[in-house]
Amino acid sequence: MINSTSDGAPHVLVVGIDGVRYDSLRQAHTPAIDRLAETGVLLPVRVHEKNVTISGPVWATVATGVYMDQHAVEDNEGQPLGTAGFEDFTALLRAQHPELQTMIAATWLPLVERGGCGPLFSSGGWAPPVDPEDEDSAESWIVADDDAAAYAVSRLAVDDLAVSFVYFGECDVQAHRFGVGLGYTGCIERCDTRLGLLLDAIDRRPQRAEEEWTIIVVTDHGHLDEGGHGGDTDEERTAWMVTSGAGVPEGIKSLDHADIAVQVLTTFGVDHSALAGVPFGQR
């Protein structure tokens, strides 16, 4: 039995925007994120002490609801997620509800393809035909993220996707190269524009009135002023999350990366008792 907060069919969209500092986010012009925060909650999220402030371990926590000591992804290049026996939330959902459709679109290949610590989402998904890391330019990441958004929009507008995960990577690359200046702000604002396209695609679905949507947008870590992460400074360890929709309770005071997988599974009545996270609002 699928749980829902109302008579509408539940749907969840999770959007990952890599490497966005919380203070930089708050200084940027982000109407899509602001729209979600007005009807939900936007909070800083401390990267858990069991995780290092590196993309692979934190995105593995987002996917699985457990930390590095359990999922065993310690960096971006080491042990793949699947070797520790933990599945991502889309795989767990489909195992119990095979009738439901899920969608993954990501421009950082280890999220969806074998290699390095991947695939963090075991069923794979859309990835750019040309790895933006191979071209090693800002433009390659802008094009890849734009293409990911276009693919996700095309699916969200027409397909009955119970759960979707969409990832954009250009902000992290910009910070690594040039620090967290004006160019970084521009990247954040472009990612917010892409998020707006996803939200608009959901809103114009013909069956939207019969659906209940929960939206979750999250970053994995911050950056030093000069760019870079992996350490324990507040700038690196302060991430953030914004969430809004039917499955989001009032009065949320704290959120954690591990809570995302649990919230998704709770929405669809899938057992999460073995995971480290908790449903939103229970911290």
Coordinates of all heavy atoms in Angstrom, one line a residue, residues 109-200:
L109 N 29.3 11.4 -14.1 CA 29.0 10.0 -14.5 C 29.0 9.0 -13.4 O 28.2 8.0 -13.5 CB 30.1 9.6 -15.6 CG 29.6 9.9 -17.1 CD1 29.2 11.3 -17.3 CD2 30.7 9.5 -18.0
P110 N 29.8 9.0 -12.4 CA 29.7 8.0 -11.3 C 28.3 7.9 -10.7 O 28.0 6.9 -10.0 CB 30.7 8.4 -10.3 CG 31.8 9.2 -11.1 CD 31.0 9.9 -12.1
L111 N 27.5 8.8 -10.8 CA 26.1 8.7 -10.3 C 25.3 7.6 -11.1 O 24.5 7.0 -10.5 CB 25.4 10.0 -10.3 CG 25.8 11.0 -9.3 CD1 25.4 12.4 -9.7 CD2 25.2 10.7 -7.9
V112 N 25.6 7.5 -12.3 CA 24.8 6.6 -13.2 C 25.5 5.6 -14.0 O 24.9 4.7 -14.6 CB 23.9 7.5 -14.2 CG1 22.9 8.3 -13.4 CG2 24.8 8.4 -15.0
E113 N 26.9 5.6 -14.0 CA 27.6 4.7 -14.8 C 28.7 4.0 -14.0 O 29.2 4.5 -12.9 CB 28.3 5.4 -16.0 CG 27.3 5.9 -17.0 CD 28.0 6.5 -18.2 OE1 29.2 6.5 -18.3 OE2 27.2 6.9 -19.2
R114 N 29.1 2.8 -14.4 CA 30.2 2.1 -13.7 C 31.5 2.8 -13.9 O 31.9 3.2 -15.0 CB 30.3 0.7 -14.3 CG 31.3 -0.2 -13.5 CD 31.2 -1.7 -14.0 NE 29.8 -2.2 -13.7 CZ 29.4 -2.7 -12.5 NH1 30.3 -2.6 -11.5 NH2 28.2 -3.1 -12.4
G115 N 32.2 2.9 -12.8 CA 33.5 3.6 -12.9 C 33.7 4.5 -11.6 O 32.7 5.1 -11.1
G116 N 34.9 4.5 -11.1 CA 35.2 5.2 -9.8 C 34.3 4.6 -8.7 O 34.3 3.4 -8.5
C117 N 33.5 5.5 -8.1 CA 32.6 5.0 -7.0 C 31.3 4.6 -7.5 O 30.4 4.3 -6.7 CB 32.5 6.1 -5.9 SG 31.8 7.6 -6.5
G118 N 31.1 4.6 -8.8 CA 29.7 4.4 -9.4 C 29.5 3.0 -9.9 O 30.4 2.2 -10.0
P119 N 28.2 2.8 -10.3 CA 27.1 3.8 -10.2 C 26.5 3.9 -8.8 O 26.2 2.9 -8.2 CB 26.1 3.2 -11.2 CG 26.3 1.7 -11.2 CD 27.8 1.5 -10.9
L120 N 26.3 5.1 -8.4 CA 25.6 5.3 -7.1 C 24.1 5.0 -7.2 O 23.5 4.6 -6.2 CB 25.8 6.7 -6.6 CG 27.3 7.1 -6.3 CD1 27.4 8.5 -5.8 CD2 28.0 6.1 -5.4
F121 N 23.5 5.2 -8.4 CA 22.2 4.7 -8.7 C 22.3 3.5 -9.6 O 22.7 3.6 -10.7 CB 21.4 5.8 -9.3 CG 21.0 6.9 -8.3 CD1 21.9 7.9 -8.1 CD2 19.8 6.8 -7.6 CE1 21.5 8.9 -7.2 CE2 19.5 7.8 -6.7 CZ 20.3 8.9 -6.5
S122 N 22.0 2.3 -9.0 CA 22.4 1.0 -9.7 C 21.7 0.8 -11.0 O 22.3 0.1 -11.9 CB 22.1 -0.1 -8.7 OG 20.7 -0.2 -8.4
S123 N 20.5 1.3 -11.2 CA 19.9 1.1 -12.5 C 20.4 2.0 -13.6 O 20.0 1.9 -14.8 CB 18.4 1.3 -12.4 OG 18.1 2.6 -11.9
G124 N 21.3 2.9 -13.3 CA 21.8 3.9 -14.2 C 20.8 4.9 -14.6 O 19.7 5.1 -14.0
G125 N 21.0 5.6 -15.7 CA 20.1 6.7 -16.1 C 20.7 7.5 -17.2 O 21.8 7.1 -17.8
W126 N 20.1 8.7 -17.5 CA 20.7 9.5 -18.5 C 22.0 10.1 -18.1 O 22.1 10.6 -17.0 CB 19.7 10.7 -18.8 CG 20.1 11.6 -19.9 CD1 19.8 11.5 -21.3 CD2 21.0 12.7 -19.8 NE1 20.4 12.5 -22.0 CE2 21.2 13.2 -21.1 CE3 21.7 13.3 -18.8 CZ2 22.0 14.4 -21.4 CZ3 22.5 14.4 -19.0 CH2 22.6 14.9 -20.3
A127 N 23.0 10.1 -19.0 CA 24.2 10.8 -18.8 C 24.6 11.5 -20.1 O 24.2 11.0 -21.2 CB 25.3 9.8 -18.4
P128 N 25.4 12.5 -20.1 CA 25.7 13.2 -21.3 C 26.6 12.3 -22.2 O 27.4 11.5 -21.8 CB 26.6 14.4 -20.9 CG 27.0 14.1 -19.5 CD 26.0 13.2 -18.9
P129 N 26.3 12.4 -23.6 CA 27.1 11.5 -24.5 C 28.6 11.8 -24.5 O 29.4 10.9 -24.7 CB 26.5 11.8 -25.8 CG 25.8 13.1 -25.7 CD 25.4 13.2 -24.3
V130 N 29.0 13.0 -24.1 CA 30.4 13.3 -24.0 C 30.6 13.8 -22.5 O 29.9 14.7 -22.0 CB 30.8 14.5 -24.9 CG1 32.2 14.9 -24.7 CG2 30.6 14.1 -26.4
D131 N 31.5 13.1 -21.8 CA 31.7 13.4 -20.4 C 32.3 14.8 -20.3 O 33.3 15.1 -20.9 CB 32.8 12.4 -19.9 CG 33.0 12.6 -18.4 OD1 32.6 13.6 -17.8 OD2 33.7 11.7 -17.8
P132 N 31.6 15.7 -19.6 CA 32.1 17.1 -19.5 C 33.5 17.2 -18.9 O 34.2 18.2 -19.1 CB 31.0 17.8 -18.7 CG 30.3 16.7 -18.0 CD 30.3 15.6 -18.9
E133 N 33.9 16.2 -18.1 CA 35.2 16.2 -17.5 C 36.3 16.0 -18.5 O 37.4 16.4 -18.4 CB 35.3 15.2 -16.4 CG 34.5 15.5 -15.1 CD 34.8 14.6 -14.0 OE1 34.7 13.4 -14.1 OE2 35.0 15.1 -12.9
D134 N 35.9 15.3 -19.6 CA 36.9 15.0 -20.7 C 37.2 16.3 -21.4 O 38.4 16.5 -21.8 CB 36.4 14.0 -21.7 CG 36.3 12.6 -21.1 OD1 37.0 12.4 -20.0 OD2 35.6 11.7 -21.6
E135 N 36.2 17.2 -21.6 CA 36.5 18.4 -22.3 C 37.2 19.4 -21.4 O 37.8 20.4 -21.9 CB 35.2 18.9 -22.9 CG 34.6 18.1 -24.0 CD 33.4 18.7 -24.7 OE1 33.2 19.9 -24.5 OE2 32.7 18.0 -25.4
D136 N 36.9 19.3 -20.1 CA 37.6 20.2 -19.1 C 37.4 21.6 -19.4 O 38.4 22.4 -19.5 CB 39.1 19.8 -19.1 CG 39.7 20.4 -17.8 OD1 39.1 20.5 -16.8 OD2 40.9 20.7 -17.9
S137 N 36.2 22.1 -19.6 CA 35.9 23.5 -19.8 C 34.6 23.9 -19.1 O 33.7 23.0 -18.9 CB 35.8 23.8 -21.3 OG 34.6 23.3 -21.8
A138 N 34.5 25.1 -18.7 CA 33.2 25.6 -18.2 C 32.1 25.4 -19.1 O 31.0 25.0 -18.7 CB 33.3 27.1 -17.8
E139 N 32.3 25.6 -20.4 CA 31.2 25.5 -21.4 C 30.7 24.0 -21.4 O 29.5 23.8 -21.6 CB 31.7 25.9 -22.7 CG 30.6 25.9 -23.8 CD 29.5 26.8 -23.6 OE1 29.6 27.8 -22.8 OE2 28.4 26.5 -24.1
S140 N 31.6 23.1 -21.3 CA 31.2 21.7 -21.4 C 30.2 21.3 -20.3 O 29.3 20.6 -20.5 CB 32.4 20.7 -21.4 OG 33.1 20.7 -20.1
W141 N 30.4 21.9 -19.1 CA 29.5 21.6 -18.0 C 28.2 22.3 -18.1 O 27.1 21.8 -17.8 CB 30.2 22.0 -16.7 CG 31.1 20.9 -16.2 CD1 32.5 20.8 -16.4 CD2 30.7 19.7 -15.5 NE1 33.0 19.6 -15.9 CE2 31.9 18.9 -15.3 CE3 29.5 19.2 -15.0 CZ2 31.9 17.7 -14.7 CZ3 29.5 17.9 -14.4 CH2 30.7 17.2 -14.2
I142 N 28.2 23.6 -18.7 CA 27.0 24.3 -18.9 C 26.1 23.5 -19.9 O 24.9 23.3 -19.7 CB 27.3 25.7 -19.4 CG1 27.9 26.5 -18.3 CG2 26.0 26.4 -19.9 CD1 28.4 27.9 -18.8
V143 N 26.7 23.1 -21.0 CA 26.0 22.3 -22.0 C 25.5 21.0 -21.4 O 24.3 20.7 -21.7 CB 26.9 22.0 -23.2 CG1 26.3 21.1 -24.2 CG2 27.3 23.3 -24.0
A144 N 26.3 20.3 -20.7 CA 25.8 19.0 -20.1 C 24.7 19.2 -19.1 O 23.7 18.5 -19.2 CB 27.0 18.3 -19.4
D145 N 24.8 20.2 -18.3 CA 23.7 20.5 -17.3 C 22.4 21.0 -18.0 O 21.3 20.6 -17.6 CB 24.1 21.6 -16.3 CG 25.1 21.0 -15.2 OD1 25.3 19.8 -15.2 OD2 25.6 21.8 -14.4
D146 N 22.6 21.8 -19.1 CA 21.4 22.2 -19.8 C 20.7 21.0 -20.5 O 19.5 20.9 -20.5 CB 21.8 23.2 -20.9 CG 22.1 24.6 -20.4 OD1 21.7 24.9 -19.2 OD2 22.6 25.4 -21.1
D147 N 21.6 20.1 -21.0 CA 21.0 18.9 -21.7 C 20.3 18.0 -20.6 O 19.3 17.4 -20.9 CB 22.1 18.1 -22.4 CG 22.6 18.8 -23.6 OD1 21.9 19.8 -24.1 OD2 23.7 18.4 -24.2
A148 N 20.9 17.9 -19.4 CA 20.3 17.1 -18.4 C 18.9 17.7 -18.0 O 17.9 16.9 -17.9 CB 21.2 17.0 -17.1
A149 N 18.8 19.0 -17.9 CA 17.6 19.6 -17.6 C 16.5 19.4 -18.7 O 15.4 19.1 -18.4 CB 17.8 21.1 -17.4
A150 N 17.0 19.5 -20.0 CA 16.1 19.3 -21.1 C 15.5 17.9 -21.1 O 14.3 17.7 -21.4 CB 16.8 19.6 -22.4
Y151 N 16.4 16.9 -20.9 CA 15.9 15.5 -20.8 C 14.9 15.3 -19.7 O 13.9 14.7 -19.9 CB 17.1 14.6 -20.6 CG 16.7 13.2 -20.3 CD1 16.4 12.3 -21.3 CD2 16.7 12.7 -19.0 CE1 16.0 11.0 -21.1 CE2 16.3 11.4 -18.7 CZ 15.9 10.5 -19.8 OH 15.5 9.3 -19.5
A152 N 15.3 15.8 -18.5 CA 14.4 15.7 -17.3 C 13.0 16.4 -17.6 O 12.0 15.8 -17.2 CB 15.0 16.2 -16.1
V153 N 13.0 17.5 -18.2 CA 11.8 18.2 -18.5 C 10.9 17.4 -19.4 O 9.7 17.3 -19.2 CB 12.1 19.6 -19.1 CG1 10.9 20.2 -19.8 CG2 12.6 20.6 -18.0
S154 N 11.6 16.8 -20.5 CA 10.8 16.0 -21.4 C 10.1 14.8 -20.8 O 9.0 14.4 -21.2 CB 11.7 15.6 -22.6 OG 12.6 14.6 -22.1
R155 N 10.8 14.3 -19.7 CA 10.2 13.1 -19.0 C 9.2 13.5 -18.0 O 8.1 13.0 -17.9 CB 11.3 12.3 -18.3 CG 12.4 11.7 -19.3 CD 11.8 10.5 -20.0 NE 11.2 9.5 -19.2 CZ 11.8 8.6 -18.5 NH1 13.1 8.5 -18.5 NH2 11.2 7.7 -17.8
L156 N 9.5 14.6 -17.2 CA 8.6 15.0 -16.2 C 7.3 15.5 -16.7 O 6.2 15.4 -16.1 CB 9.3 16.1 -15.3 CG 10.4 15.7 -14.4 CD1 11.2 16.9 -13.9 CD2 9.9 14.8 -13.2
A157 N 7.3 16.1 -17.9 CA 6.1 16.7 -18.5 C 5.1 15.7 -18.9 O 3.9 16.0 -18.9 CB 6.5 17.6 -19.7
V158 N 5.5 14.5 -19.2 CA 4.6 13.5 -19.8 C 4.5 12.1 -19.1 O 3.5 11.4 -19.1 CB 4.8 13.3 -21.3 CG1 4.6 14.6 -22.1 CG2 6.2 12.8 -21.6
D159 N 5.7 11.7 -18.6 CA 5.7 10.3 -18.0 C 5.3 10.3 -16.6 O 5.5 11.3 -15.8 CB 7.2 9.8 -18.1 CG 7.6 9.6 -19.5 OD1 6.8 9.5 -20.4 OD2 8.9 9.5 -19.7
D160 N 4.7 9.2 -16.1 CA 4.3 9.0 -14.8 C 5.4 8.5 -13.9 O 5.6 7.3 -13.6 CB 3.1 8.1 -14.7 CG 2.5 8.0 -13.3 OD1 2.7 9.0 -12.5 OD2 1.7 7.1 -13.0
L161 N 6.3 9.4 -13.5 CA 7.5 9.1 -12.8 C 7.2 9.3 -11.3 O 7.0 10.4 -10.8 CB 8.7 10.0 -13.2 CG 9.0 10.0 -14.7 CD1 9.9 11.1 -15.0 CD2 9.7 8.7 -15.0
A162 N 7.3 8.2 -10.6 CA 7.0 8.2 -9.1 C 8.1 9.0 -8.4 O 7.9 9.8 -7.5 CB 6.9 6.8 -8.6
V163 N 9.4 8.7 -8.8 CA 10.5 9.3 -8.1 C 11.6 9.6 -9.2 O 11.9 8.8 -10.1 CB 11.2 8.4 -7.1 CG1 12.4 9.0 -6.5 CG2 10.2 8.1 -5.9
S164 N 12.1 10.8 -9.1 CA 13.2 11.2 -10.1 C 14.3 11.9 -9.3 O 14.1 12.5 -8.3 CB 12.6 12.2 -11.1 OG 11.5 11.7 -11.8
F165 N 15.5 11.7 -9.8 CA 16.7 12.3 -9.3 C 17.4 13.0 -10.5 O 17.8 12.4 -11.5 CB 17.7 11.3 -8.6 CG 19.0 12.0 -8.1 CD1 19.0 12.7 -6.9 CD2 20.1 11.9 -8.9 CE1 20.2 13.2 -6.5 CE2 21.3 12.4 -8.5 CZ 21.3 13.1 -7.2
V166 N 17.6 14.3 -10.3 CA 18.3 15.1 -11.4 C 19.5 15.8 -10.8 O 19.3 16.5 -9.7 CB 17.3 16.1 -12.1 CG1 18.0 16.9 -13.2 CG2 16.1 15.4 -12.6
Y167 N 20.6 15.8 -11.4 CA 21.9 16.4 -10.9 C 22.5 17.3 -11.8 O 22.6 17.1 -13.0 CB 22.9 15.2 -10.6 CG 24.3 15.6 -10.3 CD1 24.8 15.8 -9.0 CD2 25.1 15.9 -11.4 CE1 26.1 16.1 -8.8 CE2 26.5 16.3 -11.2 CZ 26.9 16.4 -9.9 OH 28.2 16.8 -9.7
F168 N 23.0 18.5 -11.3 CA 23.7 19.5 -12.0 C 25.1 19.7 -11.4 O 25.2 19.8 -10.1 CB 23.0 20.8 -12.1 CG 21.6 20.7 -12.6 CD1 20.5 21.1 -11.9 CD2 21.4 20.1 -13.9 CE1 19.2 21.0 -12.4 CE2 20.1 20.0 -14.4 CZ 19.0 20.4 -13.7
G169 N 26.2 19.8 -12.2 CA 27.5 19.8 -11.6 C 28.3 21.0 -11.8 O 29.5 21.1 -11.3
E170 N 27.9 22.0 -12.6 CA 28.8 23.1 -13.0 C 29.2 24.0 -11.8 O 30.4 24.5 -11.9 CB 28.1 24.0 -14.1 CG 27.0 24.9 -13.6 CD 26.8 26.1 -14.6 OE1 27.8 26.8 -14.8 OE2 25.6 26.3 -15.0
C171 N 28.4 24.1 -10.8 CA 28.9 25.0 -9.7 C 30.1 24.5 -9.0 O 31.0 25.3 -8.7 CB 27.7 25.1 -8.6 SG 26.2 25.8 -9.2
D172 N 30.2 23.2 -8.8 CA 31.4 22.6 -8.1 C 32.6 22.8 -9.0 O 33.7 23.1 -8.5 CB 31.1 21.1 -7.9 CG 32.2 20.5 -7.1 OD1 32.5 20.9 -6.0 OD2 32.8 19.5 -7.6
V173 N 32.5 22.6 -10.3 CA 33.6 22.7 -11.2 C 34.1 24.2 -11.2 O 35.3 24.5 -11.1 CB 33.3 22.3 -12.6 CG1 34.4 22.6 -13.6 CG2 32.9 20.8 -12.6
Q174 N 33.2 25.1 -11.2 CA 33.5 26.5 -11.2 C 34.3 26.9 -9.9 O 35.3 27.6 -10.0 CB 32.3 27.4 -11.3 CG 32.5 28.9 -11.2 CD 33.2 29.5 -12.4 OE1 33.1 29.0 -13.5 NE2 33.7 30.7 -12.2
A175 N 33.8 26.4 -8.8 CA 34.5 26.8 -7.5 C 35.9 26.2 -7.5 O 36.8 26.8 -7.0 CB 33.6 26.3 -6.4
H176 N 36.1 24.9 -7.9 CA 37.4 24.3 -8.0 C 38.4 25.1 -8.8 O 39.5 25.3 -8.4 CB 37.3 22.9 -8.5 CG 36.9 21.9 -7.5 ND1 37.7 21.5 -6.5 CD2 35.8 21.1 -7.4 CE1 37.2 20.6 -5.8 NE2 36.0 20.3 -6.3
R177 N 37.9 25.7 -9.9 CA 38.8 26.4 -10.8 C 39.1 27.9 -10.4 O 40.2 28.4 -10.5 CB 38.2 26.4 -12.2 CG 38.3 25.0 -12.8 CD 37.6 25.0 -14.2 NE 37.7 23.7 -14.8 CZ 36.9 23.3 -15.7 NH1 35.8 24.0 -16.1 NH2 37.1 22.1 -16.3
F178 N 38.0 28.5 -9.9 CA 38.1 30.0 -9.7 C 37.6 30.5 -8.4 O 37.6 31.7 -8.1 CB 37.3 30.7 -10.8 CG 37.6 30.3 -12.2 CD1 36.8 29.5 -13.0 CD2 38.9 30.7 -12.8 CE1 37.1 29.1 -14.3 CE2 39.2 30.3 -14.0 CZ 38.3 29.5 -14.8
G179 N 37.3 29.6 -7.4 CA 36.8 30.0 -6.1 C 35.4 30.4 -6.2 O 34.6 30.2 -7.2
V180 N 34.9 31.1 -5.1 CA 33.5 31.4 -5.0 C 33.1 32.8 -5.2 O 32.3 33.4 -4.5 CB 33.0 30.9 -3.6 CG1 33.2 29.4 -3.4 CG2 33.7 31.7 -2.5
G181 N 33.6 33.3 -6.3 CA 33.3 34.7 -6.7 C 32.1 34.9 -7.6 O 31.1 34.1 -7.5
L182 N 32.1 35.9 -8.4 CA 30.9 36.2 -9.3 C 30.6 35.1 -10.3 O 29.4 34.9 -10.5 CB 31.2 37.6 -10.0 CG 31.2 38.8 -9.1 CD1 31.5 40.0 -10.0 CD2 29.8 39.0 -8.4
G183 N 31.6 34.5 -10.8 CA 31.3 33.4 -11.7 C 30.6 32.3 -11.1 O 29.7 31.6 -11.7
Y184 N 30.9 32.0 -9.8 CA 30.3 31.0 -9.0 C 28.8 31.3 -8.8 O 27.9 30.5 -9.0 CB 31.0 30.8 -7.7 CG 30.6 29.8 -6.8 CD1 30.6 28.4 -7.1 CD2 30.2 30.1 -5.5 CE1 30.2 27.5 -6.2 CE2 29.8 29.2 -4.5 CZ 29.8 27.8 -4.9 OH 29.5 26.9 -4.0
T185 N 28.5 32.6 -8.5 CA 27.2 33.0 -8.3 C 26.4 32.8 -9.6 O 25.2 32.4 -9.6 CB 27.1 34.5 -7.9 OG1 27.8 34.7 -6.7 CG2 25.7 35.0 -7.8
G186 N 27.0 33.1 -10.8 CA 26.3 32.9 -12.0 C 26.0 31.4 -12.2 O 24.9 31.1 -12.8
C187 N 26.8 30.5 -11.8 CA 26.5 29.1 -12.0 C 25.4 28.7 -11.1 O 24.5 28.0 -11.5 CB 27.8 28.3 -11.5 SG 29.2 28.4 -12.7
I188 N 25.3 29.2 -9.9 CA 24.2 28.9 -9.0 C 22.9 29.4 -9.6 O 21.9 28.7 -9.6 CB 24.4 29.6 -7.6 CG1 25.6 29.0 -6.9 CG2 23.2 29.5 -6.7 CD1 26.1 29.8 -5.6
E189 N 22.9 30.6 -10.2 CA 21.7 31.2 -10.8 C 21.3 30.4 -12.0 O 20.1 30.2 -12.3 CB 21.9 32.6 -11.1 CG 22.1 33.4 -9.8 CD 22.4 34.9 -10.0 OE1 22.7 35.3 -11.2 OE2 22.4 35.7 -9.0
R190 N 22.2 29.9 -12.8 CA 21.8 29.0 -13.9 C 21.2 27.7 -13.5 O 20.2 27.3 -14.1 CB 23.1 28.7 -14.8 CG 23.4 29.8 -15.9 CD 24.4 29.3 -16.9 NE 25.7 29.1 -16.3 CZ 26.6 30.0 -16.1 NH1 26.4 31.2 -16.5 NH2 27.8 29.7 -15.6
C191 N 21.7 27.2 -12.4 CA 21.2 25.9 -11.9 C 19.8 26.2 -11.3 O 18.9 25.3 -11.5 CB 22.1 25.3 -10.8 SG 23.5 24.5 -11.5
D192 N 19.5 27.3 -10.7 CA 18.2 27.7 -10.3 C 17.2 27.8 -11.5 O 16.1 27.4 -11.4 CB 18.2 29.0 -9.5 CG 16.9 29.3 -8.9 OD1 16.5 28.8 -7.9 OD2 16.2 30.2 -9.5
T193 N 17.7 28.4 -12.6 CA 16.9 28.5 -13.8 C 16.5 27.1 -14.2 O 15.3 26.8 -14.6 CB 17.6 29.3 -14.9 OG1 17.9 30.6 -14.4 CG2 16.8 29.3 -16.1
R194 N 17.5 26.2 -14.2 CA 17.2 24.8 -14.6 C 16.1 24.2 -13.7 O 15.2 23.5 -14.2 CB 18.4 23.9 -14.7 CG 19.5 24.4 -15.7 CD 20.7 23.6 -15.6 NE 21.7 24.1 -16.5 CZ 22.9 24.7 -16.1 NH1 23.2 24.7 -14.8 NH2 23.7 25.2 -16.9
L195 N 16.3 24.4 -12.4 CA 15.3 23.9 -11.5 C 13.9 24.5 -11.8 O 12.9 23.7 -11.7 CB 15.7 24.3 -10.0 CG 14.7 24.1 -8.9 CD1 14.4 22.6 -8.8 CD2 15.2 24.7 -7.6
G196 N 13.8 25.7 -12.1 CA 12.6 26.3 -12.5 C 11.9 25.6 -13.7 O 10.7 25.5 -13.7
L197 N 12.7 25.2 -14.6 CA 12.2 24.5 -15.8 C 11.6 23.2 -15.4 O 10.5 22.7 -15.9 CB 13.3 24.2 -16.8 CG 13.9 25.5 -17.5 CD1 15.1 25.1 -18.4 CD2 12.8 26.2 -18.3
L198 N 12.2 22.5 -14.4 CA 11.7 21.2 -13.9 C 10.4 21.4 -13.2 O 9.4 20.7 -13.4 CB 12.7 20.5 -13.0 CG 14.1 20.3 -13.5 CD1 14.9 19.5 -12.4 CD2 14.1 19.5 -14.8
L199 N 10.3 22.5 -12.4 CA 9.1 22.8 -11.6 C 7.9 23.1 -12.6 O 6.8 22.7 -12.4 CB 9.3 23.9 -10.6 CG 10.4 23.6 -9.5 CD1 10.5 24.8 -8.6 CD2 10.0 22.3 -8.7
D200 N 8.3 23.9 -13.6 CA 7.3 24.3 -14.6 C 6.7 23.1 -15.4 O 5.5 23.0 -15.7 CB 7.8 25.3 -15.6 CG 8.1 26.7 -14.9 OD1 7.6 26.9 -13.8 OD2 8.8 27.5 -15.5

